[in-house]
Amino acid sequence: MVVVRSLLRHLPTVASGRGVASVSRPAVAIVAQAQKAGCASTRLSCFSLAHCAFSSGPGEVRYTDTHEWIKVGSDGIGTVGISDFAQEKLGEVQVVELPQIGQKFEAKEEMASIESVKTISAANAVCDCEIVAVNQAVEDDPTLLNSSPEDEGWIVKVKFSADLAEHTMDKAAYDQGTEDGSIPP
């Protein structure tokens, strides 16, 4: 117990509200074990522990060559949206048409329609998937895709069984591709 308490003292404090300090999954596991063992001196509240367990670090967000991103939660459900690069190219988004929950899509098939002042575009399926949730907020306020494309402006949540590495790339590769033109706008 002394070792666990010592380790816990060195964990970063998790901010309340929206911000969360970076806590690794091993650190969260240590806290969970400590809480089960009755260690009351943890620096993480139950709320912040749950928040950490369901948050992904920036390395876990994957991107496609058609400008979608996917972030997989600990429950295996992927949250999908469009990249910041994509929203910049679209301009002000005016209408978002969402799919129905339960609808199934094949990789790169159009899941949602996005209409902006410049063009009509789509959010495509990252891989074969089934819709388990839609973000009604982006249909009600399409500008969320502009103001928060990789957070509050998520579009759908999906169940999938594919290896994302076959369909996606990390942020560094995506950024490089959009800069050098190997991933067209």
Side-chain angles (χ1 to χ4, degrees):
M1 188 67 92
V2 174
V3 172
V4 171
R5 287 178 194 265
S6 175
L7 285 171
L8 292 173
R9 275 192 283 261
H10 299 290
L11 288 176
T13 303
V14 177
S16 62
R18 291 183 159 154
V20 176
S22 175
V23 178
S24 68
R25 289 194 191 280
V28 171
I30 290 168
V31 171
Q33 288 176 347
Q35 287 177 331
K36 283 181 187 175
C39 179
S41 67
T42 64
R43 295 178 70 185
L44 300 175
S45 68
C46 291
F47 165 78
S48 58
L49 177 65
H51 190 80
C52 287
F54 290 96
S55 294
S56 300
E60 294 176 301
V61 177
R62 306 288 296 180
Y63 294 83
T64 68
D65 60 359
T66 54
H67 307 290
E68 290 80 26
W69 58 266
I70 184 166
K71 182 177 181 181
V72 181
S74 63
D75 58 359
I77 300 296
T79 301
V80 179
I82 63 167
S83 69
D84 188 50
F85 177 86
Q87 74 79 24
E88 284 178 14
K89 296 297 178 192
L90 285 171
E92 185 181 334
V93 177
Q94 297 180 321
V95 177
V96 177
E97 292 179 8
L98 299 170
Q100 297 295 313
I101 294 174
Q103 221 173 332
K104 294 181 180 181
F105 295 93
E106 292 181 8
K108 299 206 179 210
E109 186 178 358
E110 181 179 321
M111 294 189 303
S113 176
I114 303 168
E115 185 176 329
S116 72
V117 293
K118 295 181 181 178
T119 188
I120 296 175
S121 187
N124 299 315
V126 172
C127 57
D128 293 356
C129 62
E130 179 181 346
I131 306 297
V132 296
V134 296
N135 187 357
Q136 191 62 48
V138 297
E139 201 166 61
D140 297 339
D141 181 8
T143 61
L144 277 174
L145 288 183
N146 296 114
S147 62
S148 187
E150 296 184 24
D151 187 26
E152 293 176 20
W154 63 272
I155 298 171
V156 296
K157 294 189 180 211
V158 298
K159 273 193 314 192
F160 64 95
S161 59
D163 178 3
L164 288 181
E166 294 178 20
H167 301 279
T168 62
M169 64 196 86
D170 64 20
K171 182 151 180 62
Y174 177 76
D175 288 345
Q176 180 65 39
T178 56
E179 285 176 26
D180 69 18
S182 61
I183 300 174

